Amino acid sequence: MFHKLSTMFHLSRSRSVQLLMVATLCMATIAITGCSDPKVNRTNFNHIDIGMRYAEVHHMLGAPTWCDDYDRPKECRWGTEERHIYVVFVARRVVDKQSKGL
């Protein structure tokens, strides 16, 4: 009886380890491929107009992932290196925009 319980526990533990490994792999895959900000998309990129204020872009896309200076941003990026919206500001107004991977 003890041997059967021991074997059942071992199989159960082995199964748990396998499930944990699969879950970890799935989470890593999602993080690498599809875990970017849903607001970073072609539609929102197209809505960014030259002359738009920084506050308007911030309202549309949320907080930027990176800015050269958070007090007086001149260049900001929303998203990841592979998939992003990049905006250049002068006097807190959009003067240029670029995208990658949208």
Side-chain angles (χ1 to χ4, degrees):
M1 175 82 172
F2 179 75
H3 185 265
K4 282 185 179 182
L5 288 175
S6 171
T7 303
M8 285 175 37
F9 177 74
H10 179 70
L11 290 175
S12 175
R13 182 174 174 180
S14 175
R15 182 78 170 153
S16 295
V17 170
Q18 288 175 345
L19 290 174
L20 180 62
M21 289 173 56
V22 169
T24 303
L25 182 61
C26 288
M27 289 183 344
T29 302
I30 289 170
I32 291 170
T33 60
C35 196
S36 63
D37 188 345
K39 292 181 179 182
V40 177
N41 58 50
R42 177 62 59 188
T43 301
N44 283 343
F45 175 77
N46 290 337
H47 281 94
I48 298 171
D49 295 319
I50 302 300
M52 184 179 277
R53 292 179 301 141
Y54 171 80
E56 295 173 291
V57 177
H58 187 275
H59 180 74
M60 182 182 358
L61 297 176
T65 307
W66 171 87
C67 280
D68 61 342
D69 181 357
Y70 279 100
D71 293 328
R72 299 188 66 85
K74 296 178 188 87
E75 301 175 14
C76 292
R77 184 185 73 217
W78 285 262
T80 64
E81 285 286 329
E82 296 78 28
R83 184 173 188 265
H84 64 259
I85 294 174
Y86 180 83
V87 182
V88 178
F89 299 93
V90 171
R92 297 183 73 83
R93 300 261 181 186
V94 175
V95 295
D96 189 27
K97 65 179 187 174
Q98 300 171 14
S99 68
K100 181 178 177 184
L102 301 183

